[in-house]
Amino acid sequence: MMVQLVSGLVGDDEVAALFGDDVHLAALLSVESALARAEAACGLIAAEAAERIVEVCRSLVLDRDSLHHGTVKDGVVIPDLVRQLRAAIGEPHAGAAHLGATSQDILDTALALQLKALFDLIDRRLAHVLTLLDDWAAREGEVVLMAHTRLQRALPFTARDKLATWAEPLRRHRERLAATRRSALTVQIGGPVGTGDSFRGHAPAIIAAMADELGLSAAPAWHAERDRIADVGHLLAQIAGSLGKIGQDVGMMAQNEVGEIRLAGGGKSSAMAHKNNPVGAEVLVALARFSAGLQGTLLQALVHESERSGAAWTLEWMVLPPLAETAGAALRHGARLVDGARFVPMA
Amino acid sequence: MMVQLVSGLVGDDEVAALFGDDVHLAALLSVESALARAEAACGLIAAEAAERIVEVCRSLVLDRDSLHHGTVKDGVVIPDLVRQLRAAIGEPHAGAAHLGATSQDILDTALALQLKALFDLIDRRLAHVLTLLDDWAAREGEVVLMAHTRLQRALPFTARDKLATWAEPLRRHRERLAATRRSALTVQIGGPVGTGDSFRGHAPAIIAAMADELGLSAAPAWHAERDRIADVGHLLAQIAGSLGKIGQDVGMMAQNEVGEIRLAGGGKSSAMAHKNNPVGAEVLVALARFSAGLQGTLLQALVHESERSGAAWTLEWMVLPPLAETAGAALRHGARLVDGARFVPMA
Amino acid sequence: MMVQLVSGLVGDDEVAALFGDDVHLAALLSVESALARAEAACGLIAAEAAERIVEVCRSLVLDRDSLHHGTVKDGVVIPDLVRQLRAAIGEPHAGAAHLGATSQDILDTALALQLKALFDLIDRRLAHVLTLLDDWAAREGEVVLMAHTRLQRALPFTARDKLATWAEPLRRHRERLAATRRSALTVQIGGPVGTGDSFRGHAPAIIAAMADELGLSAAPAWHAERDRIADVGHLLAQIAGSLGKIGQDVGMMAQNEVGEIRLAGGGKSSAMAHKNNPVGAEVLVALARFSAGLQGTLLQALVHESERSGAAWTLEWMVLPPLAETAGAALRHGARLVDGARFVPMA
Amino acid sequence: MMVQLVSGLVGDDEVAALFGDDVHLAALLSVESALARAEAACGLIAAEAAERIVEVCRSLVLDRDSLHHGTVKDGVVIPDLVRQLRAAIGEPHAGAAHLGATSQDILDTALALQLKALFDLIDRRLAHVLTLLDDWAAREGEVVLMAHTRLQRALPFTARDKLATWAEPLRRHRERLAATRRSALTVQIGGPVGTGDSFRGHAPAIIAAMADELGLSAAPAWHAERDRIADVGHLLAQIAGSLGKIGQDVGMMAQNEVGEIRLAGGGKSSAMAHKNNPVGAEVLVALARFSAGLQGTLLQALVHESERSGAAWTLEWMVLPPLAETAGAALRHGARLVDGARFVPMA
């Protein structure tokens, strides 16, 4: 949903790939596969059925056009995917696939899997930016800068003080990420209306087994309880916000009249050859503001009516991927900005 | 920035294309071309220079990789595009291209051009939905339905009354669209800092000529005055919002217990064969809520500091295309929903 | 809903009063009064009944505790207000009051009345700020300042150029206000479910007569069509946004290192005696961002289900008054900021 | 900033009081008092000075008009409050008050104190709603209801299942609240630019002592690191959101056509005597949507430029109190709604 050239600036290909169809469909099949194994383990389906399902999930090439049309018609991809999956499995095991599950079981668990990969990537990038900030502090921490409060020169302080203000929230975000990973990235298994009845008393065991196989947390079905999703969005918006603050600060310091920072590779103007625009700093501010708005919208999806709201759920799908990509882009820009910058001591 | 399968559901290819690189780059070259013609007309550049620029703009195949890298580096595509354009023009006319203009002149005017195409498309779709609603009223307007207030049965009324509540805002949106087209889709020509000085007194004439050629309104440079952009976003959010109301209403009426509407082609469930889900209605609600959030973010971009804010401007680029696509998708879903639905008289 | 001391800073008593109970209840009684007159004019009620209703509406002192409890219980003030009103009218005319009307008829029309007063106030303040800007341009328009693009020094321009960028959007807001007044400030009369049936064919005449008496526009009932309300919010957010841009610019220019503007009466610091904080400028930015968020929320209320949504309607009541007060506060701060400021020529 | 009658419906007096001037000023004086004690303990000021300051803080009646004017002028209340405080202390100890501190130290720590009281209240109310839900489950948990997915009848389930979906997020919110209390409610002591230099090496000891006295967590100065504030807002929006889901569900179940719930004390209509409107349910939805929007705005304040942003900080003051009041009102309405409701078994 964005001019591609602008995507190069404000997007993030690596994160976008985590929400692309390839990864998404692979995650869905991983979940169907894990479900089959867990159901075999508790005797709900035969071991050979599970083997056949796992094998087909590993190799199945899905008809994407059909998935596309199915998604448009059904509002979710799963009915058509299960149809294709069962056709590929063939008799006598076709019916053992997706047994007892509802679309949301598969989609929410797959989302948790995709978010797990996202969290790994985000955490790596947070660590990387923190390393860059720490290195910078080691190199230039003693540089004396002017602190500014309410847009006015206040008192001198050191680059170390400034860098700490940038780094500390990111350090806390790593803790938040670890906590959110545990609490929010959970298997979703509940069957049609979330009661687990379709799993004939085995839902807790299936959830535990799938959590173990997929590296997710176990929790009772949470179909219509979207607080964990809101937590994920909050984490992403926090990250983009903190990087937006770094961008805003860098932009202020890079003003010609202030000149407290020197940036590598600033942008050129088509009209003024003398300009060296702090493009990365500005993009960080834009990303933070975009992210804040998206999280405000994601919170609207907490009003998830009855046992499954197509409206609220679809809204999550619209908001979460750009929220993730925005956080990823912010970390990418943050790293580049920090890496190439040098402080200029007060005159 | 979205799972492609979900894009099929909540996106709109036709609108997305209007913000894709092909259309965008063509618009940028159209603006450079119109600028050259206007500058020749007032004697700022030679007629042959303008001819050569126009000719190259018509046929130039841009190096997209280079544009991509330039955008990432400069925060805007124009410096690299102008470099390529001038190289293709060659001497002695290279310097006559983009003369006196700044990146924002070209980008904002191209945006106005792209929005003009969007407005045409949106207006056609509004008219189409209105025709469908009017036809429906002609067919089933006398059907007696139960009006509901505050989620409770209130009093009987007719389908005609219901349809009027859906149609009247859309009719007003067509008026809003026409007014916004006149007031907001304007040429932007101001030079580096918006004063027009680089056009040596000819800025008003150039603006008038370009407006005439490009089918836009003429207005003094508005580089840092983003109220027109906010109006465009408001129009789009209004449209998605009104269709969200239709979707919400249809969803309420399509409840099994209410049963006042029968929908064509509802969605299937992967677990419950008896379900006929009002997918289109739910998607309309999701689109409306997404759109409302985006417009809240676009309004943040009114705080556009100094003579050009990279942060606020970039934020517009992130928000406007999905706002447009959301409105387009809402109209598409609205037409499909309305087209396939029938009222069921009160028992 | 705000610390009172902070209200003094970010609120606006004059606007708050327009949404306070005194004005609100007076507006409600004015509408009941106008309704009675209009119903008498078309013969729905007796002339003496209307006289009695008008007389009581003029002098009635409402029991506020009772209204408070009624609002909490019914979700709207009208049932209890009508009960009190009818009790005060007494027989034989009690039943002629509120005849055929529903709560929303009275509340929405009263809101239009209150918004009319708000629009008057806002327009006066817009005109005042524009006068101050024009005077400033007359006084100091030739001062040479440095234009800044993307946070960097760009090229010199004049204070007149700068002031025009601040004034032009406000001028356009006056036009928007005039247009929105005509299109959005309309009588709401539709009866229980908006069809007007309870007025026995006289709804159009009643609407016309009430519009005439109350100084509002006439339009068919729009109970569940909230696009006009969204337009009002958009206007208010536009105004706050444009003043936020002025505040942001002034803040940037007032930086010690830039020093292009001198402000009267800046804020003191409790710790740094040398500080002269551009408080008004900063508050304008905060108001703009607050306002943008509120309008994003108001647009959520377009999804107004069925013939009356208690949820969406209540949401409007929560958002519109602070949106109005924020716009009012922005204009107040804007006037004070502009009035006390002087440009400092480039060194 | 709201019609008072509407405040009775959507506001919460008890929470509002926590953000009212009385509590706010008392908190500010408590912080000045605790600061004096902590500074005496580490020898920065004399013990008698601290005693005098503590005594005056306990009994001082502040001149509110003066505070009001000071806030308007300085953008913060502290300079005038410290002036009044020092005048009341008199010589020789006047200068020992507020020693080394900046306005933000006092305001942010006082905010943490106020939020501590808010968290106590919120946690009590969460526990109360949970008790009501548990009691309800004990009473009517076996009632068979119809689950609805995507607005359609799905399969039967029990009231216990339904109640669990409402209760589980609230249970998690209590855990979130406990975690946020520890991580986010921290003393802020950093001096003019957050480095603690004005406390001559004693900042860590002062922070520890104040945390101990005030019942807050200790943390290094976080003047420009607003992630903790964003966490507080997120918690409040989560709570309002989960109650909004309960409200939405109750509203759906209370539809005449569905009739799965019977509510106590529904609202009356001014026009339709047969109506029994689910006012509390609708208000919960409105509160959730309002809250989501506010949190989206609070996240904008993460872009807090330099060492203190008057704009971003003021924005927090505008958003946090209504966010808190909205969560409080949601819990109040939630308790009342749940308390008075009974399930109706499927026919």
Side-chain angles (χ1 to χ4, degrees):
Chain A
M1 276 196 169
M2 194 167 298
V3 181
Q4 293 98 303
L5 286 165
V6 172
S7 269
L9 184 66
V10 300
D12 188 283
D13 288 346
E14 206 181 342
V15 174
L18 294 181
F19 291 93
D21 281 354
D22 290 350
V23 171
H24 181 52
L25 295 174
L28 294 172
L29 292 173
S30 295
V31 175
E32 293 283 5
S33 182
L35 173 65
R37 272 207 187 104
E39 291 187 327
C42 63
L44 266 184
I45 65 172
E48 314 85 76
E51 273 168 43
R52 175 69 187 146
I53 293 167
V54 169
E55 180 198 336
V56 170
C57 282
R58 198 177 290 132
S59 60
L60 181 62
V61 178
L62 291 156
D63 175 344
R64 303 251 178 137
D65 277 349
S66 179
L67 293 175
H68 172 84
H69 291 298
T71 302
V72 170
K73 183 177 180 312
D74 302 323
V76 281
V77 70
I78 301 298
D80 189 75
L81 181 140
V82 169
R83 192 191 51 71
Q84 291 190 40
L85 178 61
R86 286 180 173 156
I89 291 165
E91 290 313 327
H93 300 308
H98 194 68
L99 186 82
T102 194
S103 294
Q104 194 171 359
D105 291 332
I106 309 306
L107 276 162
D108 277 348
T109 307
L111 176 64
L113 266 186
Q114 293 175 263
L115 290 173
K116 193 174 68 141
L118 174 72
F119 275 39
D120 289 343
L121 179 154
I122 294 275
D123 197 43
R124 272 198 312 275
R125 291 197 186 173
L126 278 168
H128 177 54
V129 174
L130 281 165
T131 300
L132 292 171
L133 290 170
D134 289 346
D135 288 352
W136 197 1
R139 257 191 343 265
E140 302 189 342
E142 304 311 315
V143 171
V144 176
L145 301 170
M146 176 55 76
H148 292 78
T149 58
R150 305 198 80 130
L151 296 170
Q152 298 290 297
R153 292 167 69 93
L155 294 171
F157 70 158
T158 65
R160 191 175 310 283
D161 297 319
K162 187 91 190 178
L163 290 166
T165 298
W166 294 348
E168 290 314 311
L170 301 185
R171 264 188 253 285
R172 288 192 286 275
H173 294 335
R174 294 196 68 194
E175 292 171 25
R176 286 183 179 99
L177 183 146
T180 306
R181 181 197 292 271
R182 280 190 302 276
S183 64
L185 304 190
T186 63
V187 166
Q188 167 82 278
I189 284 292
V193 299
T195 57
D197 293 348
S198 53
F199 302 101
R200 305 186 190 172
H202 297 290
I206 293 171
I207 290 169
M210 288 179 69
D212 197 50
E213 173 169 347
L214 298 171
L216 300 172
S217 295
W222 47 277
H223 289 190
E225 305 165 18
R226 313 307 290 180
D227 51 309
R228 292 180 176 99
I229 300 294
D231 278 348
V232 170
H234 176 62
L235 171 70
L236 298 170
Q238 280 270 31
I239 292 168
S242 295
L243 286 151
K245 187 260 189 291
I246 299 179
Q248 183 72 49
D249 280 9
V250 168
M252 298 301 281
M253 298 172 81
Q255 292 175 97
N256 304 109
E257 296 90 342
V258 176
E260 293 198 313
I261 205 164
R262 204 170 292 133
L263 301 175
K268 292 276 158 276
S269 156
S270 76
M272 294 169 282
H274 65 281
K275 296 284 300 295
N276 181 22
N277 294 322
V279 171
E282 293 175 298
V283 168
L284 284 175
V285 174
L287 291 168
R289 300 213 177 281
F290 188 59
S291 176
L294 287 173
Q295 175 61 9
T297 303
L298 186 63
L299 290 166
Q300 296 285 349
L302 288 173
V303 186
H304 186 111
E305 90 271 354
S306 307
E307 280 57 69
R308 184 167 307 122
S309 165
W313 198 25
T314 304
L315 185 57
E316 290 178 10
W317 303 342
M318 299 180 76
V319 175
L320 259 185
L323 252 177
E325 191 167 347
T326 300
L331 286 162
R332 192 167 54 74
H333 275 283
R336 214 168 53 144
L337 191 69
V338 162
D339 200 23
R342 298 291 171 267
F343 289 115
V344 180
M346 278 176 63
Chain B
M1 276 199 168
M2 192 166 298
V3 182
Q4 294 98 301
L5 286 164
V6 172
S7 269
L9 185 66
V10 300
D12 190 282
D13 288 346
E14 206 180 343
V15 174
L18 294 181
F19 290 93
D21 281 354
D22 290 349
V23 171
H24 181 52
L25 295 173
L28 293 172
L29 292 173
S30 294
V31 175
E32 294 283 4
S33 182
L35 172 65
R37 273 208 187 101
E39 292 188 325
C42 63
L44 265 183
I45 65 171
E48 315 85 73
E51 273 168 43
R52 174 69 187 146
I53 294 167
V54 168
E55 179 198 338
V56 171
C57 283
R58 197 177 291 131
S59 60
L60 181 61
V61 178
L62 290 156
D63 175 345
R64 302 252 178 137
D65 277 349
S66 178
L67 292 175
H68 172 83
H69 291 297
T71 301
V72 171
K73 184 177 180 312
D74 301 324
V76 282
V77 69
I78 302 298
D80 188 75
L81 181 139
V82 169
R83 191 191 52 72
Q84 290 190 40
L85 178 60
R86 285 180 175 156
I89 292 165
E91 293 309 329
H93 299 308
H98 194 69
L99 187 81
T102 194
S103 293
Q104 194 171 358
D105 291 332
I106 309 304
L107 276 162
D108 277 349
T109 307
L111 175 64
L113 266 186
Q114 291 175 263
L115 289 174
K116 193 174 69 144
L118 173 72
F119 276 38
D120 289 344
L121 178 154
I122 294 275
D123 197 44
R124 271 198 313 275
R125 291 196 187 173
L126 277 169
H128 177 55
V129 175
L130 281 165
T131 300
L132 292 171
L133 290 170
D134 289 347
D135 288 353
W136 197 1
R139 258 190 342 265
E140 302 189 343
E142 304 311 316
V143 171
V144 176
L145 301 170
M146 175 55 75
H148 292 77
T149 58
R150 304 198 81 131
L151 296 169
Q152 298 291 297
R153 292 167 69 94
L155 294 171
F157 71 159
T158 65
R160 189 177 312 284
D161 297 319
K162 186 93 191 176
L163 289 166
T165 297
W166 295 347
E168 290 314 309
L170 302 184
R171 264 188 252 286
R172 289 193 286 274
H173 295 334
R174 295 195 69 193
E175 291 171 26
R176 286 183 179 98
L177 185 146
T180 306
R181 181 197 293 272
R182 281 189 302 275
S183 64
L185 304 190
T186 62
V187 167
Q188 167 82 279
I189 283 293
V193 299
T195 57
D197 292 348
S198 54
F199 302 101
R200 305 185 190 174
H202 297 291
I206 292 170
I207 291 168
M210 288 178 70
D212 197 50
E213 173 169 346
L214 298 171
L216 300 172
S217 294
W222 46 279
H223 289 191
E225 305 164 17
R226 312 308 289 181
D227 53 307
R228 292 179 176 100
I229 300 293
D231 278 349
V232 170
H234 176 63
L235 171 70
L236 297 170
Q238 280 270 32
I239 291 168
S242 295
L243 286 152
K245 187 261 190 291
I246 299 179
Q248 182 73 50
D249 280 9
V250 169
M252 299 301 280
M253 299 172 81
Q255 293 174 96
N256 303 109
E257 296 90 342
V258 177
E260 293 197 315
I261 206 165
R262 203 170 293 134
L263 301 176
K268 292 277 159 273
S269 156
S270 76
M272 294 169 281
H274 64 281
K275 297 282 302 293
N276 181 20
N277 294 322
V279 171
E282 294 175 298
V283 168
L284 283 175
V285 173
L287 291 168
R289 301 214 177 281
F290 188 60
S291 175
L294 287 173
Q295 174 62 10
T297 303
L298 187 64
L299 289 165
Q300 296 284 351
L302 288 172
V303 185
H304 186 112
E305 89 270 355
S306 307
E307 278 57 70
R308 183 168 308 123
S309 164
W313 199 24
T314 303
L315 185 58
E316 291 178 8
W317 301 342
M318 298 180 76
V319 175
L320 260 185
L323 252 177
E325 191 167 347
T326 301
L331 286 162
R332 191 167 53 75
H333 276 283
R336 215 169 50 144
L337 190 69
V338 162
D339 199 22
R342 297 293 170 265
F343 289 115
V344 180
M346 277 176 65
Chain C
M1 274 198 170
M2 193 166 298
V3 182
Q4 295 96 304
L5 286 164
V6 172
S7 269
L9 185 65
V10 301
D12 189 282
D13 287 347
E14 206 180 343
V15 174
L18 294 181
F19 290 93
D21 280 355
D22 290 350
V23 171
H24 181 52
L25 296 174
L28 293 172
L29 292 173
S30 294
V31 175
E32 294 283 5
S33 183
L35 172 66
R37 272 208 188 101
E39 292 188 324
C42 62
L44 265 183
I45 65 172
E48 313 87 75
E51 273 167 44
R52 175 69 188 146
I53 294 167
V54 169
E55 181 198 337
V56 171
C57 283
R58 198 177 290 130
S59 59
L60 181 61
V61 178
L62 291 156
D63 175 345
R64 303 252 178 138
D65 277 349
S66 179
L67 292 176
H68 172 83
H69 291 297
T71 302
V72 170
K73 185 178 180 311
D74 302 324
V76 283
V77 70
I78 301 298
D80 189 74
L81 181 139
V82 169
R83 191 192 51 72
Q84 291 190 39
L85 178 60
R86 285 179 175 157
I89 291 165
E91 293 310 328
H93 300 307
H98 193 69
L99 187 80
T102 194
S103 294
Q104 195 171 357
D105 291 333
I106 310 305
L107 277 163
D108 277 349
T109 307
L111 176 64
L113 266 186
Q114 292 174 264
L115 290 173
K116 193 174 69 143
L118 174 72
F119 276 38
D120 290 343
L121 179 154
I122 294 274
D123 197 44
R124 271 199 313 275
R125 291 196 187 173
L126 278 169
H128 178 54
V129 174
L130 281 165
T131 301
L132 292 171
L133 290 170
D134 289 346
D135 290 351
W136 197 0
R139 260 193 338 267
E140 303 188 342
E142 304 311 317
V143 171
V144 176
L145 301 169
M146 175 55 76
H148 293 77
T149 58
R150 305 197 79 131
L151 296 169
Q152 298 290 298
R153 292 167 68 94
L155 295 171
F157 71 158
T158 66
R160 190 176 311 283
D161 297 319
K162 185 93 191 177
L163 289 165
T165 298
W166 294 347
E168 290 314 309
L170 301 185
R171 264 189 252 286
R172 288 193 286 275
H173 295 334
R174 295 196 68 193
E175 291 171 26
R176 286 183 179 98
L177 185 146
T180 306
R181 180 197 294 271
R182 280 189 303 274
S183 64
L185 304 189
T186 63
V187 167
Q188 167 82 279
I189 283 293
V193 298
T195 57
D197 292 348
S198 53
F199 302 101
R200 304 185 191 174
H202 297 290
I206 292 171
I207 291 168
M210 288 178 69
D212 197 50
E213 173 169 347
L214 298 171
L216 299 172
S217 295
W222 47 278
H223 290 191
E225 306 166 16
R226 312 308 289 180
D227 53 309
R228 293 179 175 100
I229 300 294
D231 278 349
V232 170
H234 177 62
L235 172 70
L236 297 170
Q238 280 270 31
I239 291 168
S242 295
L243 286 151
K245 188 262 190 293
I246 299 179
Q248 183 72 50
D249 280 9
V250 169
M252 298 301 281
M253 299 173 81
Q255 292 174 97
N256 303 110
E257 296 90 342
V258 176
E260 294 197 314
I261 206 165
R262 204 171 291 134
L263 301 176
K268 290 279 159 273
S269 157
S270 75
M272 295 170 281
H274 65 280
K275 297 282 302 293
N276 181 20
N277 294 321
V279 171
E282 292 175 299
V283 168
L284 284 175
V285 174
L287 291 167
R289 301 213 176 281
F290 188 60
S291 176
L294 288 173
Q295 175 62 9
T297 304
L298 187 63
L299 290 166
Q300 297 285 350
L302 288 172
V303 185
H304 186 111
E305 89 268 357
S306 307
E307 280 57 70
R308 183 168 309 123
S309 164
W313 198 24
T314 303
L315 185 57
E316 291 179 8
W317 302 341
M318 299 181 75
V319 175
L320 259 185
L323 252 177
E325 190 166 348
T326 300
L331 285 162
R332 192 167 53 76
H333 276 283
R336 215 169 51 144
L337 191 69
V338 161
D339 200 21
R342 297 293 171 264
F343 290 115
V344 181
M346 278 176 65
Chain D
M1 275 195 171
M2 194 166 297
V3 181
Q4 294 98 302
L5 286 165
V6 172
S7 269
L9 185 65
V10 300
D12 189 282
D13 288 346
E14 206 181 341
V15 174
L18 294 181
F19 291 93
D21 281 354
D22 290 349
V23 171
H24 181 52
L25 296 174
L28 294 172
L29 291 173
S30 294
V31 175
E32 295 282 5
S33 183
L35 172 66
R37 273 207 187 103
E39 292 188 326
C42 63
L44 265 183
I45 65 172
E48 314 86 74
E51 272 167 44
R52 175 69 187 147
I53 294 167
V54 169
E55 180 198 337
V56 170
C57 283
R58 197 177 291 132
S59 60
L60 181 62
V61 178
L62 290 156
D63 175 345
R64 304 251 178 137
D65 277 350
S66 179
L67 292 175
H68 172 83
H69 291 297
T71 302
V72 170
K73 184 177 181 312
D74 302 323
V76 282
V77 70
I78 302 299
D80 190 73
L81 180 140
V82 169
R83 191 191 52 71
Q84 292 190 39
L85 178 60
R86 286 180 174 157
I89 292 166
E91 291 312 327
H93 300 309
H98 194 69
L99 187 81
T102 194
S103 294
Q104 195 171 357
D105 291 332
I106 309 306
L107 277 162
D108 277 349
T109 307
L111 175 64
L113 266 187
Q114 293 174 264
L115 290 174
K116 193 174 69 143
L118 173 72
F119 275 38
D120 290 342
L121 180 154
I122 295 274
D123 197 43
R124 270 199 314 275
R125 291 196 186 172
L126 278 169
H128 178 56
V129 175
L130 280 165
T131 300
L132 293 171
L133 290 170
D134 290 345
D135 288 352
W136 198 359
R139 258 191 342 264
E140 302 189 344
E142 305 311 315
V143 171
V144 176
L145 301 170
M146 176 55 76
H148 293 78
T149 57
R150 306 198 79 131
L151 296 169
Q152 298 290 297
R153 291 167 71 94
L155 294 171
F157 71 159
T158 66
R160 192 176 310 283
D161 297 319
K162 186 92 191 177
L163 290 166
T165 298
W166 295 347
E168 291 314 310
L170 301 184
R171 264 189 253 286
R172 288 192 286 275
H173 295 335
R174 294 196 69 194
E175 292 170 25
R176 286 184 179 97
L177 184 146
T180 306
R181 180 197 292 271
R182 280 189 302 275
S183 64
L185 304 191
T186 63
V187 167
Q188 167 83 278
I189 283 293
V193 299
T195 57
D197 293 348
S198 53
F199 301 102
R200 305 187 190 172
H202 297 290
I206 292 171
I207 291 169
M210 289 178 70
D212 196 50
E213 174 169 347
L214 298 171
L216 300 172
S217 296
W222 47 277
H223 289 190
E225 305 165 17
R226 312 308 288 181
D227 51 310
R228 292 179 176 101
I229 300 294
D231 278 349
V232 170
H234 176 62
L235 171 70
L236 298 169
Q238 280 270 32
I239 292 169
S242 295
L243 286 151
K245 187 261 189 293
I246 299 179
Q248 183 73 49
D249 280 9
V250 169
M252 299 300 281
M253 298 172 82
Q255 293 174 96
N256 304 109
E257 297 89 343
V258 176
E260 293 197 312
I261 206 166
R262 203 171 291 134
L263 301 175
K268 292 276 159 276
S269 155
S270 76
M272 294 168 281
H274 65 281
K275 296 284 300 294
N276 181 22
N277 294 322
V279 171
E282 293 175 299
V283 168
L284 284 175
V285 174
L287 290 168
R289 301 213 177 283
F290 187 59
S291 176
L294 287 174
Q295 175 61 9
T297 303
L298 187 63
L299 289 166
Q300 297 284 349
L302 288 172
V303 185
H304 185 111
E305 88 270 355
S306 308
E307 279 57 68
R308 184 167 308 123
S309 164
W313 198 25
T314 303
L315 184 57
E316 290 178 10
W317 303 340
M318 299 179 76
V319 175
L320 260 185
L323 253 176
E325 191 167 348
T326 300
L331 286 163
R332 191 167 53 76
H333 276 282
R336 214 168 52 144
L337 190 68
V338 162
D339 200 23
R342 297 292 170 268
F343 290 115
V344 180
M346 279 176 64

